[in-house]
Amino acid sequence: MSTLLVTGGCGFIGSNFIRHLLATDRAVSVINFDCLTYAGNLANLADVVDHPRYRFVKGDITDREQVRAALRLGVTDVINFAAESHVDRSIQDSGPFVRTNVIGTQVLLDAAREGGVKKYVQVSTDEVYGSLGADGFFTEATPLHPNSPYSASKAGADLLVQAYEHTFGLPAVITRCSNNYGPYQFPEKLIPLFVTNLVRDEPVPVYGDGQQVRDWIHVLDHCTGVEAAWRRGKPGEVYNFGGRCEKTNLDLTLTLLDLLGKPRTLIRYVKDRPGHDRRYAIDCAKAERELGWARQTTFDQGLLETINWYKANATWIAGIKTKDYLTYYENQYDRLQ
Ligand code: NAD
Ligand code: TYD
C-alpha cells in the first residue's frame, strides 16, 4: 500500500492525476495538499471528495510545519505538482513564483528527506530548456536555458531536486512535459481561454504573429507519464514527456474556430508576450524506452473531447473564483487591433 502526498492536487494536472490513480489502483491512497491559490479549485475533485482512499489537507508547501504534519499522516511518496504555473503572471510579478516553485520545493525536499520517503517526483516542464529554432528537439541532455521568470523558477527547483538526490541520496526523479490540454484547465491558458471566449462569441487574443510553436499533449497522457516515473523511474533521472504534436498558435486558433463554427474575425492580434519562447518540441524516446510509457490520445480526438467538456461544464467555468483572466491580456499587453 502506498500513500501519496500529491501537492497542488486542486489544480489542472494534479486533479486529473488524483482521479486517474484512485480509479486505477486500489493499493494507493492519496493525500491532496494544496493551499488553494486562484488556480486551486476544490470543484476539480468534487466527484472524489468522499472516496475512502482520498483526503484533502489545506496547506502551503512553503510552510515547513504544515508540510511536516502532512508527511506524518503515513506518507510513503511525494508527487509535487504545486506551482505557480502561468508565464504571463510571472512576467507581471515573479515573487510568488520564486516563493512557491523554488522555496516550496526546498521545503518539500527537506521534509521528504526527514520522512524517509520511498520516491519523490518533481513535476517540471519543458520550458526549463528554453526556446528552439526551426529544427531539433529537447532531450534530457539539453542544457537548461530558462527564459521566463516561471521557467527560471522551475529550473531552480529542478537543480535543487538533483542536488538533494546527489548529496543526500533522496530517491528523486524529475519529469519534464510539454503543453497540456484537457478538462479542468484554468481558463487563463490558451486552449480553455479561447474555447470559453469563442463559445460566448468573444474575441481571442493571439500574441505577436501567432507563429510560436507548442507541442501539445493530453493531460491524461502526462498523468500516466508521471505515474510511470513514480513507479519505475530511476532516482537521479529526468524523463521528458511530449505529444509529438507541434502546432503554431495561429493554426491551433484556426482549428478551434472551425471546430466551434466561429468566424476568423474573432481573432485579435495583440502585442507579443515579452521574451516569448518561439518553439518547444520534446523528444520523449527515453520515457518510451525506459518506462514503457506511450501516449493514448490523438490530438484530434482529445481536442474534440476537451471542447465538448468545456461546453458541457459551464457551471464549472462560472464557479471560478477570480474572473481577471477574462481581461488579463488587455491589462498586460497592448491591443494591436
Ligand atoms: P495549476 O496552476 O492549474 O495548479 C497549481 C496548483 O498548485 C493549484 O491547485 C494551486 O492552488 C497549488 N499551489 C500553488 N502554490 C501552492 C503552494 N505554495 N502550496 C500548495 N499548493 C500550491 O497548474 P498545472 O497546470 O496543473 O501544473 C501543475 C504542475 O505541472 C506545475 O508544477 C507545472 O509547472 C507543471 N507543468 C504544467 C504544464 C501545463 O501545460 N499546464 C506542462 C508541464 C508541466
Ligand atoms: P500558455 O497556455 O500560456 O502556455 P505556455 O506559455 O506555458 O506555453 O500559452 C501557449 C501559447 O499560446 C504561448 O505561445 C502563448 C500563446 N498565447 C496566446 O497567443 N494568447 C493567449 O491569450 C495565451 C494565454 C497564450
Side-chain angles (χ1 to χ4, degrees), residues 59 66 87-88 103 130 137-138 201 223 229 239 248 269 322:
Q66 288 180 1
V87 174
D88 293 327
I103 298 172
F137 298 90
F138 298 132
D201 293 310
C223 290
Y239 300 95
T248 66
Y269 289 96
T322 166

Side-chain angles (χ1 to χ4, degrees), residues 10-13 34 37 40 60-61 81 83 85 100 124 150 154 180:
C10 290
F12 164 46
I13 307 172
D34 195 304
T37 67
D60 190 318
I61 61 164
F81 288 95
S85 67
T100 284
S124 186
Y150 162 66
K154 293 294 291 185
N180 285 215

Side-chain angles (χ1 to χ4, degrees), residues 33-48:
F33 185 87
D34 195 304
C35 71
L36 300 177
T37 67
Y38 77 93
N41 188 349
L42 286 171
N44 291 1
L45 286 167
D47 53 331
V48 302

